[in-house]
């Protein structure tokens, strides 16, 4: 199917929507890694890299879907609530908007940076309003690699959000990230597994402050 703009296909958006209704966890390959704060995290191990792909399902209470989607897309606001952001901005390259994102890593590890494209679509499926945001790494010659910072070339994220029928949001997130360098895979997996629920918790708090800000 032809891309729906921004390098993503219509099918990719619909697949993210479908996960909200019926999680796609075929066979025994996906394993439940963690359940906390109303969030379930499943992992699929890549034998070649030793890294996990993640699928996250859960509910964020008192966080309206449209506000949650706005918070996720607002890069300037993210600099205020995400303590790991070193640098974050959008740039037009070759007629396409890309995002540059540098993430702080603890000493003695080097910071990582990403260049990725993203797209948000607000869909109406059988009367269900679903916000879908897709992101994946790309490369552009206008943003060169920096000394002392490791460029992440494998990054992919999907986020689907709808109302939980109350005042919260039902959320699905897919995430894969290969930070490269000499970090042991077990440490990467541990950080990702613990970091995902903390990220969602911080984003939930950011939603409350976003309403006050606007």
């Amino acid at each position: 199917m032809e891309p729906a703009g921004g390098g993503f296909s219509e099918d990719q958006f619909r697949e993210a929507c479908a996960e909200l209704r019926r999680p796609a966890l075929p066979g025994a390959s996906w394993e439940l890694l963690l359940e906390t704060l109303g969030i379930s995290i499943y992992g699929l191990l890549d034998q070649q890299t030793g890294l996990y792909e993640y699928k996250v399902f859960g509910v964020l209470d008192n966080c309206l879907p449209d506000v949650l989607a706005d918070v996720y897309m607002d890069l300037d606001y993210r600099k205020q609530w995400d303590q790991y952001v070193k640098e974050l901005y959008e740039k037009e390259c070759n007629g396409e908007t890309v995002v540059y994102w540098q993430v702080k890593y603890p000493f003695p590890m080097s910071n990582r940076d990403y260049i990725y494209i993203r797209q948000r679509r607000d869909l109406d499926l059988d009367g269900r309003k679903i916000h879908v945001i897709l992101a994946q790494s790309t490369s552009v010659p206008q943003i060169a690699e920096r000394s002392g910072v490791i460029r992440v070339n494998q990054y992919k994220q999907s986020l689907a959000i709808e109302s939980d029928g109350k005042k919260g949001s039902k959320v699905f997130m897919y995430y894969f990230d290969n930070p490269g360098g000499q970090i042991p895979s077990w440490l990467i997996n541990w950080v990702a597994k613990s970091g995902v629920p903390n990220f969602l918790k911080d984003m939930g708090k950011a939603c409350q402050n976003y309403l006050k800000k606007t």
Side-chain angles (χ1 to χ4, degrees), residues 88-106:
L88 184 62
Y89 63 84
E90 286 186 321
K91 182 180 179 69
E92 290 291 325
C93 297
N94 308 322
E96 183 173 57
T97 302
V98 302
V99 176
Y100 176 82
W101 176 34
Q102 186 179 151
V103 179
K104 299 174 187 174
Y105 269 56

Side-chain angles (χ1 to χ4, degrees), residues 59-66 162-170:
V59 172
L60 294 181
D61 295 322
N62 300 314
C63 190
L64 296 171
D66 54 341
E162 71 173 337
S163 172
D164 68 346
K166 302 172 187 175
K167 294 182 179 180
S169 295
K170 186 179 178 183

Side-chain angles (χ1 to χ4, degrees), residues 121-141:
R121 293 188 65 190
D122 300 330
L123 305 175
D124 189 327
L125 295 181
D126 302 322
R128 298 164 64 209
K129 185 177 182 182
I130 303 176
H131 308 279
V132 181
I133 302 163
L134 303 179
Q136 66 183 22
S137 52
T138 188
S139 60
V140 290

Side-chain angles (χ1 to χ4, degrees), residues 33 45-54 109 112 176-193:
L33 301 177
L45 182 64
D46 182 314
Q47 299 293 342
Q48 187 173 358
T49 63
L51 301 176
Y52 278 96
E53 298 175 56
Y54 295 95
M109 293 184 286
R112 265 56 177 177
F176 178 75
D177 181 342
N178 184 352
Q182 303 302 312
I183 308 174
S185 59
W186 67 265
L187 179 57
I188 297 170
N189 290 330
W190 179 81
V191 169
K193 188 173 74 172

Side-chain angles (χ1 to χ4, degrees), residues 16-211:
C17 290
E19 295 268 14
L20 276 174
R21 177 172 289 177
R22 181 175 297 173
L25 301 166
S29 300
W30 288 90
E31 55 183 300
L32 179 62
L33 301 177
L34 185 68
E35 283 187 305
T36 179
L37 304 171
I39 302 292
S40 299
I41 302 177
Y42 292 83
L44 176 65
L45 182 64
D46 182 314
Q47 299 293 342
Q48 187 173 358
T49 63
L51 301 176
Y52 278 96
E53 298 175 56
Y54 295 95
K55 286 186 177 183
V56 183
F57 305 90
V59 172
L60 294 181
D61 295 322
N62 300 314
C63 190
L64 296 171
D66 54 341
V67 176
L68 184 58
D70 288 346
V71 165
Y72 187 84
M73 292 294 291
D74 191 331
L75 300 184
D76 286 334
Y77 184 50
R78 183 164 179 174
K79 296 173 193 175
Q80 299 176 37
W81 64 264
D82 187 343
Q83 62 180 317
Y84 298 105
V85 170
K86 172 72 173 178
E87 195 173 346
L88 184 62
Y89 63 84
E90 286 186 321
K91 182 180 179 69
E92 290 291 325
C93 297
N94 308 322
E96 183 173 57
T97 302
V98 302
V99 176
Y100 176 82
W101 176 34
Q102 186 179 151
V103 179
K104 299 174 187 174
Y105 269 56
F107 181 83
M109 293 184 286
S110 301
N111 286 357
R112 265 56 177 177
D113 66 1
Y114 302 70
I115 300 171
Y116 65 92
I117 56 173
R118 63 178 186 162
Q119 187 183 2
R120 170 181 172 178
R121 293 188 65 190
D122 300 330
L123 305 175
D124 189 327
L125 295 181
D126 302 322
R128 298 164 64 209
K129 185 177 182 182
I130 303 176
H131 308 279
V132 181
I133 302 163
L134 303 179
Q136 66 183 22
S137 52
T138 188
S139 60
V140 290
Q142 293 92 331
I143 306 178
E145 295 189 23
R146 301 184 183 184
S147 176
V149 179
I150 295 176
R151 176 66 47 87
V152 176
N153 295 312
Q154 291 178 279
Y155 165 72
K156 188 177 181 183
Q157 188 167 16
S158 307
L159 184 67
I161 309 162
E162 71 173 337
S163 172
D164 68 346
K166 302 172 187 175
K167 294 182 179 180
S169 295
K170 186 179 178 183
V171 176
F172 159 72
M173 184 170 74
Y174 167 89
Y175 186 84
F176 178 75
D177 181 342
N178 184 352
Q182 303 302 312
I183 308 174
S185 59
W186 67 265
L187 179 57
I188 297 170
N189 290 330
W190 179 81
V191 169
K193 188 173 74 172
S194 59
V196 167
N198 288 333
F199 172 76
L200 291 172
K201 185 178 177 182
D202 288 346
M203 193 159 64
K205 288 180 183 176
C207 286
Q208 303 303 316
N209 294 326
Y210 198 71
L211 288 172

